[in-house]
Amino acid sequence: FHPFGNSAFAADGSAQTDLSLRNPPELYQYLLGRTTSDSQYRQRVIDATIAGDLFDTNSGPVGLAVGLQRREDSARVVFDATSNSANLDFVYGQSDWAGTLTTMAVFGEINVPFGDTLELSAALRWEDFDELGESTTDPKVSFIWRPVDSFTARASWGSSFRVASLQQLFGSLTTVH
């Protein structure tokens, strides 16, 4: 076992070229031993959307969609006794954990035609991440240009927010290799 990374660096600090000094994966498996866990991840979503045409123009109907969403992500991980007792050389902080993230969202989108070949779509989404104490508002605007039936060009701009996974938020496992 080479604990100080000599599989990556030679004695003079240059890149290691002797790959026989690399720690084989079988060695890590031997040192780590066998661990088990039972994981359960669940997502529940309630979503309500209303969509339809607001009114007609010479270019076509102006469409609108609005909605609400409630999303609940939950996870529960149970590790074996060896893992929970911190009895492993290369695993730190491992313990049973559970977490839930509840998100509420309100969203809307409008679609407006301009002539026979151009269409504008504008959308807005607001989300509130309850357990994080954070909320975000994200817009999106897109144009579709269809000069002939066989050609379509689309330009779009928008922003979004991605919350960390439940493992990143609530997990405590650190593995050293």
Side-chain angles (χ1 to χ4, degrees), residues 89-166:
D89 290 337
F90 291 90
V91 179
Y92 302 97
Q94 187 164 310
S95 61
D96 296 347
W97 63 271
T100 301
L101 179 65
T102 303
T103 305
M104 291 295 297
V106 179
F107 51 90
E109 182 173 358
I110 190 163
N111 190 356
V112 182
F114 293 99
D116 294 333
T117 62
L118 186 62
E119 191 174 293
L120 164 72
S121 179
L124 191 65
R125 183 179 182 91
W126 174 82
E127 289 183 288
D128 180 44
F129 303 95
D130 187 41
E131 281 74 15
L132 301 178
E134 297 287 334
S135 65
T136 180
T137 303
D138 297 297
K140 180 181 178 186
V141 178
S142 64
F143 291 94
I144 297 176
W145 179 51
R146 203 174 293 119
V148 293
D149 288 342
S150 61
F151 178 80
T152 301
R154 181 172 186 239
S156 180
W157 173 88
S159 70
S160 65
F161 178 79
R162 182 187 166 276
V163 71
S165 71
L166 290 171

Side-chain angles (χ1 to χ4, degrees), residues 26 29 42 75 89:
E26 297 83 14
Q29 185 59 39
R42 176 177 287 170
D89 290 337

Side-chain angles (χ1 to χ4, degrees), residues 60-72:
V62 173
L64 178 69
V66 294
L68 301 167
Q69 184 182 74
R70 182 181 191 279
R71 190 173 60 245
E72 185 178 281

Side-chain angles (χ1 to χ4, degrees), residues 35-41 75-81 83-84 94-98 167:
T35 60
T36 61
S37 65
D38 181 24
S39 305
Q40 180 183 34
Y41 296 90
R76 182 172 178 266
V77 180
V78 177
F79 292 102
D80 63 10
S83 301
N84 278 324
Q94 187 164 310
S95 61
D96 296 347
W97 63 271
Q167 174 68 33

